[in-house]
Amino acid sequence: MKSGLLYDFWRAFHKNRLAALAGVILLAIFFLAIFAPVFATHNPTYIRLEQEQIKLPPTAAHFIGTDNLGRDIWSRMLFGARISLLVGFLTMIITVIIGVAYGAVSGYYGGKLDFMMMCFVDILLSLPTIFLVIILAAFFKPDFFGIAAIIGMTSWMRTARLVRGQFLSLKEEEFVMAARALGYSNCRIIFVHLLPNVRALIIINATLLIAQAVLLESALSFLGFGVQPPQFSWGSMLSSAQYIVFLKEAPWTAFFPGLAIFITVLCFNFFGEGLRDAWDPKLKNY
Amino acid sequence: MLAEILLELRNLKTKFKTYDGEVKAADGIDLTVHKKEILGIVGESGCGKSATALSIMRLIPSPPGEVHADKMELNGVELQSLTEKQLSKVRGSEISMIFQEPSSALNPAFTIGEQLIEVLILHQKLDRGAAHRQAIKALNLVQIPAATQRLADYPHQLSGGMRQRVMLAMACACMPSLLIADEPTTALDVTVQAQILELLCQLQSELNIAIMLITHDLSLVAEIAQRVAVMYAGVVVENASVRNLFAKPRHPYTQGLLASLPLLNAERERLNVIPGGVPNMLNLPKGCRFHPRCPHCWQICRQQEPPLFSQNGSEVRCWLFAREMNK
Amino acid sequence: MGNRYLRRLATLFFSLFVISLLSFALIEFSPGGAMARYVENPNISQADRTRMAERFGLDRPAPLRYFIWLRNTVQGDLGTSFMTGRPVLTEILERLPATLKLMTFSFFISIIVAIPIGIYSATHRHSLFDHLAATGSFLGLSLPSFWFGLLMIYIFAIWLNWLPSGGMITPWFDPSAYPLLIRPFVIFWEHTRYLLMPAIVLSLSNIGSWSRYMRSSMLDVISQNYIQTARANGVPERKVVYKHALRNALTPLVTLMGLDLPGFFAGAVVTEQIFAWPGMGRLFISAAGNRDYQVLMGIIMITAVLVLLGNLLADLMYRFLDPRVNYEG
């Protein structure tokens, strides 16, 4: 099976150039983030308040200029990528764990339990996620791990729905009956027999979840509720550009980190869509 | 019986381009429909019956479909030369069509009345009031009780048989000269089937409509049709009057079909079946399309496709008859 | 059918109850609780804090306070803001119209752009336009709205100086300074020029997802038998698409719009912040920063009510568009 998935992946991405390109760009971004100290030209947190050092436009010494505290934006973007991506991945892992477990239990047991669990999901879904995220972030003042936990805990509902739907139909299959007849525990059936069947779906969903998490984290940091100084992410780099004066004087400080977020999210989305084409042609929009 | 020719179809080719290759759903079909007659078109599913019907309606989507015929004339008008606008005028008023699934063939978002009246206004340029009266007449024609009330119903409020009657009412509301009925009774209960068939006969005689009845069921054809065209894998293999066909089926495929009909006074214990299955349309056998399943297959059948041979008013696409003629 | 709506209404109130319980617990169990913002203030002594807590009723046990809050809320009293000392309901109702104005405008932009794109993509599948629309919707879904907003401000407000960078209306705007004949247009433009950028930013992701959804829904419907019937009856293609297909294709979209409503409110928070739009979202952000928990609770509850009502409305629309639902229920 594994080789099957990999084979389909390879075949589809060979054809789908856009998704393949997205994958390559993502690898490049990971590479830059991991080896940030190598590629950074300056200390990203080194503040220089001399007049001739702040809000510098792109120059030879500073590729894409400096910000309002005289820090090199290129170097900050490299280190900021670490937090942005880390939060993205951590959030995805937390979301997938909660969402899959919740959805699996709900779908597998069905009946009244399923009804109540899905009722709860519906209620949560009728609240704007960002409200809860902002409250939690404002009250707990978390570090990046905490932010991942907060976003993860408030955005697992759609994943749960998805997995639940799959489980509802899967549990009617004969191999589940067979497993039950053999006396396997429910827990074993869920995780050993059923879960591998939704593997592709979960991976596709996870890729799209990273994209959403990166977006949400950057919005949160932009609003000032995300990672707090001295830590910084792409989103918080844009934060100061909320002030019109600042945007006017040094647009590059807002432009490049935002572009990085945009490209990263776009690549995750394209990559996820490529995976969907490869593994689940049914889900395609024709 | 030398009735006037209504529809003449010569060498119709309908192709679909798929990822796996080109499918020739119709591969050189010749058909003639005379005025006021019921022509049965019989064949297994996938033999190109529906594709032929849709080609005549010019409803094959392109791409992936592609339709070409040497001649496709209705009342002497070449259908292939019509613009989309002219076609709209022909469809529903000159030729109309009803489909297999009455449950999904009516738009669920509009009432029966809205759908009927739309067609009437479209083709007969009636005002709303006149169209409304005409719609009630049309429903009466197909024997729907309480027609006035039914107009306000949505399709899902009617039974399958009723929906098929509504479909018929819509199709016949503008007095077409040709009605194509594509498996009109397949999805219905047996008792309802009989009613719909009866209704078809009645419409044909009352409104002088010619009907092209497409079905996989030879017994239906035996009941109401005057002539039959048997199709196999995209070609017409036999073309005969109903009486001739049932009395003396010529093509081995037709013989097989007849032999597989269940008989009421069953002398046979088991139903006969034609061995093998419908050929893969992407990869048709060389020579006669039927030869892998044919009990009388000989040398030439494997090499060359037979033309249509005429014999006593019947037409057969089989080399056996070439031999007979040569004798 | 009356029964059905009673049940819907019961579900609605139950949902509100769960949401209130949840958000109350959330605020209650966060570190420091409601008084945390005074802890770091050296001018407020421990005794002061105790006294304040008493005055706000914070010394009572949490379940009792929730009960009191619930009782007051049912009576239309959402409490008092810590920041301003004014009733929360007044604060919110002052801000709500601005948010609704922005959302309504953005909603119409989304519909006007997304639906035609979806229809055209579906009827011209695999055309250049279809591919461009597909790519465009991906771009729209991936754009960080705050960044896009800043870009727009930079281009249209700072660089070209066509539109104001923020706010809702010019404070000294006086329509009576214009001749009566053109006054309506002046007023319209005055409102529109402030609305335009925030509404577009807020519409972006909706346009992306709705146009895709419209396309697939339309493709779904076009392959249905009744479309074939309409064509076979000689209904012109334009009418087939815009009457027979569209009506049926819109139904799932209406449901999606209802489901997207919370996302709309979330988007409004960010958009209002960028464009200094004096709506509920900005109030929420400043309340979150100040731990003004009564206001936070109030906004969450009002939003929940609006979202649930919106869903109810979507449900009614659905019934109107698809008569089958009524029948089966």
Side-chain angles (χ1 to χ4, degrees), chain B residues 118-134:
Chain B
E118 179 182 23
V119 175
L120 284 163
I121 292 180
L122 207 64
H123 293 301
Q124 305 200 328
K125 310 276 174 271
L126 300 174
D127 62 67
R128 213 146 250 290
H132 190 264
R133 283 191 296 280
Q134 200 65 38

Side-chain angles (χ1 to χ4, degrees), chain A residues 56-110:
Chain A
L56 277 182
T59 57
H62 301 281
F63 287 162
I64 43 183
T66 62
D67 65 5
N68 55 338
L69 297 177
R71 296 172 295 200
D72 180 59
I73 296 173
W74 165 249
S75 310
R76 282 179 74 75
M77 272 176 63
L78 290 173
F79 282 93
R82 292 178 153 189
I83 298 284
S84 290
L85 292 172
L86 212 55
V87 171
F89 274 101
L90 279 174
T91 306
M92 178 270 285
I93 291 169
I94 295 168
T95 310
V96 166
I97 290 175
I98 302 179
V100 169
Y102 193 95
V105 169
S106 183
Y108 181 76
Y109 288 101

